[in-house]
Amino acid sequence: MFYDRFLELCEAQGVKPKKAVTDMNLSNSIATAWKNRGLTPKSETLSKIAQHFEVSMDFFLERPPFDNWPLINQDRNHFIEYVDADYDATDLVWGINKTNVDKASLINFIQFLGDVVEYAQPTEAGGWLVSVRPLYRKKEKVSAQENERNLDQQLSGIDFALSGEIHGLTDNEKQDILDYIRFKKSQRGGGDK
């Protein structure tokens, strides 16, 4: 419910709901209406509230990943185990340290979820199925040997493709390319396999 999330943010900032709405130049009776009637503000007001707290409107509208917000927030340290993100960036940007997520402020944690996590669904086994936005996915570190193997595979693929029938290249052009690939492989110690 909207009011519960609004109240949670007010408490995190140490302000009363009526003070928060007056700080946003809204009627001080509106918070009571949200609470008593279970209303959600119209989009313009909701946008103003989200900007005031510096969180995504998705948080209030219970859109992913916030559709499971109570479960996520009640045990942040367990949840974060399933988030395969680049934690060097998350610690710098949002103050989210993977070893102690509970120390991050509520606002920072909400911002982190809104920016980094696309969706999060609890599993029957008590874990989480989490999708991280591509920009924040952990980059795999690849060794120099792995890079060499990948390059060898790519060159072998080109070699194979060129040895087949390719339209638009003459036999001499194909042979020149194959010779160049073989030369490059031999320079790197790959030989002609």
Side-chain angles (χ1 to χ4, degrees), residues 78-110:
H78 176 71
F79 171 78
I80 209 75
E81 292 173 20
Y82 298 90
V83 180
D84 193 23
D86 178 356
Y87 283 96
D88 291 337
T90 59
D91 195 13
L92 284 171
V93 177
W94 300 278
I96 305 295
N97 182 314
K98 188 172 183 173
T99 59
N100 198 347
V101 183
D102 288 333
K103 285 193 174 185
S105 75
L106 181 72
I107 301 291
N108 285 358
F109 188 63
I110 292 169

Coordinates of all heavy atoms in Angstrom, one line a residue, residues 78-110:
H78 N 20.8 -11.5 3.2 CA 20.4 -12.8 2.5 C 20.1 -12.5 1.0 O 20.6 -13.2 0.1 CB 19.3 -13.5 3.2 CG 18.8 -14.8 2.5 ND1 19.6 -15.9 2.4 CD2 17.7 -15.0 1.7 CE1 19.0 -16.8 1.7 NE2 17.8 -16.3 1.3
F79 N 19.3 -11.5 0.8 CA 18.9 -11.1 -0.6 C 20.1 -10.8 -1.4 O 20.3 -11.3 -2.6 CB 18.0 -9.9 -0.6 CG 17.7 -9.4 -1.9 CD1 16.8 -10.0 -2.8 CD2 18.3 -8.3 -2.4 CE1 16.5 -9.6 -4.0 CE2 18.1 -7.8 -3.6 CZ 17.2 -8.4 -4.5
I80 N 21.1 -10.0 -0.9 CA 22.2 -9.5 -1.7 C 23.1 -10.7 -2.2 O 23.8 -10.5 -3.2 CB 23.0 -8.5 -0.9 CG1 23.7 -7.5 -1.8 CG2 24.0 -9.1 0.0 CD1 22.7 -6.5 -2.5
E81 N 23.0 -11.8 -1.5 CA 23.8 -13.0 -1.9 C 23.5 -13.4 -3.3 O 24.3 -14.0 -4.0 CB 23.6 -14.2 -1.0 CG 24.2 -13.9 0.4 CD 23.8 -15.1 1.4 OE1 23.5 -16.2 0.9 OE2 23.9 -14.8 2.6
Y82 N 22.2 -13.1 -3.8 CA 21.7 -13.5 -5.1 C 21.9 -12.4 -6.2 O 21.5 -12.7 -7.3 CB 20.3 -14.0 -4.9 CG 20.2 -15.2 -4.0 CD1 20.0 -15.0 -2.7 CD2 20.3 -16.5 -4.5 CE1 19.9 -16.1 -1.8 CE2 20.2 -17.5 -3.7 CZ 20.0 -17.3 -2.3 OH 19.9 -18.4 -1.5
V83 N 22.4 -11.3 -5.8 CA 22.5 -10.2 -6.7 C 24.0 -10.2 -7.2 O 24.9 -9.9 -6.5 CB 22.2 -8.8 -6.0 CG1 22.4 -7.7 -7.0 CG2 20.8 -8.8 -5.4
D84 N 24.1 -10.6 -8.5 CA 25.4 -10.8 -9.1 C 25.8 -9.4 -9.8 O 25.8 -9.3 -11.0 CB 25.4 -11.9 -10.1 CG 26.8 -12.3 -10.6 OD1 27.8 -12.1 -9.8 OD2 26.9 -12.9 -11.7
A85 N 26.2 -8.5 -8.9 CA 26.5 -7.1 -9.4 C 28.0 -6.8 -9.2 O 28.6 -7.5 -8.4 CB 25.6 -6.1 -8.7
D86 N 28.4 -5.8 -9.8 CA 29.8 -5.3 -9.6 C 29.8 -4.5 -8.3 O 29.4 -3.3 -8.2 CB 30.2 -4.4 -10.8 CG 31.6 -3.8 -10.6 OD1 32.2 -4.0 -9.6 OD2 32.0 -3.1 -11.6
Y87 N 30.3 -5.1 -7.2 CA 30.2 -4.4 -5.9 C 31.2 -3.3 -5.7 O 31.1 -2.5 -4.7 CB 30.3 -5.5 -4.8 CG 28.9 -6.1 -4.7 CD1 28.7 -7.3 -5.3 CD2 27.9 -5.5 -4.1 CE1 27.4 -7.9 -5.3 CE2 26.6 -6.0 -4.1 CZ 26.4 -7.2 -4.7 OH 25.2 -7.8 -4.7
D88 N 32.2 -3.2 -6.5 CA 33.1 -2.0 -6.4 C 32.3 -0.8 -6.7 O 32.4 0.2 -6.0 CB 34.3 -2.1 -7.4 CG 35.3 -3.2 -7.0 OD1 35.3 -3.6 -5.8 OD2 36.0 -3.7 -7.9
A89 N 31.5 -0.9 -7.8 CA 30.7 0.3 -8.2 C 29.6 0.5 -7.1 O 29.3 1.7 -6.8 CB 30.0 0.1 -9.5
T90 N 28.9 -0.5 -6.7 CA 27.8 -0.3 -5.8 C 28.2 0.3 -4.4 O 27.5 1.1 -3.9 CB 27.0 -1.6 -5.5 OG1 27.9 -2.6 -5.0 CG2 26.4 -2.2 -6.8
D91 N 29.4 -0.1 -4.0 CA 29.9 0.5 -2.7 C 30.2 2.0 -2.9 O 29.8 2.8 -2.1 CB 31.1 -0.2 -2.3 CG 31.4 0.1 -0.8 OD1 30.6 0.6 -0.1 OD2 32.6 -0.3 -0.4
L92 N 30.8 2.3 -4.0 CA 31.1 3.7 -4.3 C 29.8 4.6 -4.5 O 29.7 5.7 -4.0 CB 32.0 3.9 -5.5 CG 33.4 3.5 -5.4 CD1 34.1 3.4 -6.7 CD2 34.1 4.5 -4.5
V93 N 28.9 4.1 -5.3 CA 27.7 4.9 -5.7 C 26.7 4.9 -4.6 O 26.1 6.0 -4.3 CB 27.2 4.4 -7.0 CG1 25.9 5.1 -7.4 CG2 28.2 4.5 -8.1
W94 N 26.3 3.8 -4.1 CA 25.2 3.7 -3.1 C 25.6 3.4 -1.7 O 24.7 3.3 -0.9 CB 24.1 2.7 -3.6 CG 23.6 3.0 -5.0 CD1 22.5 3.9 -5.2 CD2 24.0 2.4 -6.2 NE1 22.3 3.9 -6.6 CE2 23.2 3.0 -7.2 CE3 24.9 1.5 -6.6 CZ2 23.3 2.7 -8.6 CZ3 25.1 1.2 -7.9 CH2 24.3 1.8 -8.9
G95 N 26.8 3.1 -1.5 CA 27.2 2.7 -0.1 C 26.7 1.3 0.2 O 26.5 1.0 1.4
I96 N 26.6 0.5 -0.8 CA 26.1 -0.9 -0.5 C 27.4 -1.8 -0.5 O 28.0 -2.1 -1.5 CB 25.2 -1.4 -1.7 CG1 24.0 -0.4 -1.9 CG2 24.7 -2.8 -1.4 CD1 23.1 -0.3 -0.7
N97 N 27.7 -2.3 0.7 CA 28.8 -3.2 0.9 C 28.2 -4.6 1.0 O 27.4 -4.8 1.9 CB 29.6 -2.8 2.1 CG 30.8 -3.7 2.4 OD1 30.7 -4.9 2.3 ND2 31.9 -3.0 2.7
K98 N 28.6 -5.5 0.2 CA 28.0 -6.8 0.1 C 28.1 -7.5 1.5 O 27.3 -8.4 1.8 CB 28.6 -7.6 -1.0 CG 27.9 -8.9 -1.2 CD 28.4 -9.7 -2.4 CE 27.6 -10.9 -2.6 NZ 27.8 -11.6 -3.8
T99 N 29.1 -7.2 2.2 CA 29.3 -8.0 3.5 C 28.4 -7.4 4.6 O 28.1 -8.1 5.6 CB 30.7 -7.9 4.0 OG1 31.1 -6.5 4.2 CG2 31.7 -8.6 3.0
N100 N 27.8 -6.2 4.5 CA 26.9 -5.7 5.5 C 26.0 -4.7 4.9 O 26.1 -3.5 5.1 CB 27.7 -5.1 6.6 CG 26.9 -4.9 7.9 OD1 25.6 -5.1 7.8 ND2 27.5 -4.6 9.0
V101 N 25.0 -5.2 4.2 CA 24.0 -4.4 3.4 C 23.1 -3.6 4.4 O 22.7 -2.5 4.1 CB 23.2 -5.2 2.5 CG1 22.2 -4.4 1.7 CG2 24.1 -6.0 1.6
D102 N 22.9 -4.2 5.6 CA 22.0 -3.6 6.6 C 22.6 -2.2 7.0 O 21.8 -1.4 7.5 CB 21.8 -4.5 7.8 CG 20.9 -5.7 7.5 OD1 20.1 -5.6 6.5 OD2 21.1 -6.7 8.1
K103 N 23.8 -1.9 6.9 CA 24.4 -0.6 7.3 C 24.0 0.5 6.3 O 24.1 1.6 6.6 CB 25.9 -0.7 7.4 CG 26.3 -1.4 8.7 CD 27.8 -1.2 9.0 CE 28.1 -1.9 10.4 NZ 29.4 -1.6 10.8
A104 N 23.7 0.1 5.1 CA 23.3 1.1 4.1 C 22.0 1.8 4.5 O 21.1 1.1 5.0 CB 23.1 0.5 2.7
S105 N 21.8 3.0 4.2 CA 20.6 3.7 4.5 C 19.5 3.1 3.7 O 19.7 2.6 2.6 CB 20.7 5.2 4.3 OG 20.7 5.5 2.9
L106 N 18.2 3.3 4.2 CA 17.1 2.8 3.5 C 17.0 3.4 2.1 O 16.7 2.7 1.1 CB 15.8 3.1 4.3 CG 14.5 2.6 3.6 CD1 14.4 1.0 3.7 CD2 13.3 3.2 4.3
I107 N 17.2 4.7 2.0 CA 17.1 5.4 0.7 C 18.1 4.9 -0.2 O 17.8 4.6 -1.4 CB 17.3 7.0 0.9 CG1 16.2 7.5 1.9 CG2 17.3 7.7 -0.4 CD1 14.8 7.6 1.3
N108 N 19.4 4.7 0.2 CA 20.4 4.2 -0.7 C 20.1 2.8 -1.1 O 20.4 2.5 -2.3 CB 21.8 4.2 0.0 CG 22.4 5.6 0.1 OD1 21.8 6.6 -0.3 ND2 23.5 5.7 0.8
F109 N 19.6 2.0 -0.3 CA 19.2 0.6 -0.7 C 18.1 0.6 -1.7 O 18.2 -0.1 -2.7 CB 18.8 -0.2 0.6 CG 18.7 -1.7 0.3 CD1 19.7 -2.4 -0.2 CD2 17.4 -2.3 0.4 CE1 19.6 -3.8 -0.5 CE2 17.2 -3.6 0.1 CZ 18.3 -4.4 -0.3
I110 N 17.1 1.5 -1.5 CA 16.0 1.6 -2.5 C 16.6 2.1 -3.8 O 16.2 1.6 -4.9 CB 14.9 2.5 -2.0 CG1 14.2 1.8 -0.8 CG2 13.9 2.8 -3.1 CD1 13.3 2.7 0.0

